[in-house]
Amino acid sequence: MTNEPRPNAGVKFPPPFIFLLGLIAALLINRAVRLPLAAPEPRWMFFLGLTLMVVGFLFAGWGIATFRRQHTAIAPIRPATTIVSSGPYAITRNPMYVGLTCVYIGGAFLLDTWWAFVLLPIVVLIIDRQVIGREERYLASAFGPQYESYRARVRRWI
């Protein structure tokens, strides 16, 4: 076994699809066992869901744009070239996943099902362990003290 840094985080599945699969699973379960958030669906749920989705996409997009400005990889299957600590990365180490979580919650309101909220902890746990955990091990091996310093200053989520 070597101590050389890995070429990438080794994430096995694209993170946005994990969130999407959670919503699809909630929708399928809801077809079998209907569990609406409110009956009939109030108009505010639509606007809340849409607002959360827009805010989530904007926050994740800010993270993507910040990565692009720093010329580092967005996809966890590519090697990182630098530690990005500006923009949303000064608030959270994972603005793309925070944004996607907001999108997911907004989608749960639009789908009008409690099942999405029941599955949310599972989705977040998968993201936290199988994606973020791998990314953090990779960044620690690739950037050492520079990443550890950033990690000590900025929270994983919010």
Side-chain angles (χ1 to χ4, degrees), residues 83 93 136-154:
I83 298 297
R93 295 194 310 260
E136 290 190 339
R137 285 188 297 277
Y138 163 68
L139 293 169
S141 72
F143 297 100
Q146 181 187 5
Y147 179 70
E148 292 305 325
S149 173
Y150 170 67
R151 188 175 172 177
R153 288 189 324 271
V154 179

Side-chain angles (χ1 to χ4, degrees), residues 52-71:
L52 284 168
M53 289 186 82
V54 168
V55 167
F57 278 124
L58 288 172
F59 197 67
W62 186 23
I64 291 168
T66 304
F67 263 29
R68 284 196 175 135
R69 278 192 301 278
Q70 297 291 321
H71 305 289

Side-chain angles (χ1 to χ4, degrees), residues 59 87-96 98 150 154-158:
F59 197 67
Y89 295 92
I91 303 166
T92 173
R93 295 194 310 260
N94 298 289
M96 289 183 241
V98 170
Y150 170 67
V154 179
R155 295 175 62 137
R156 179 181 269 188
W157 288 90
I158 288 199

Side-chain angles (χ1 to χ4, degrees), residues 48-58 99 102-107 110:
L48 177 60
L50 192 60
T51 300
L52 284 168
M53 289 186 82
V54 168
V55 167
F57 278 124
L58 288 172
C102 286
V103 170
Y104 179 100
I105 293 169
L110 292 179

Side-chain angles (χ1 to χ4, degrees), residues 36-48:
L37 292 170
E41 181 183 334
R43 194 164 178 81
W44 65 264
M45 271 183 22
F46 172 80
F47 290 109
L48 177 60

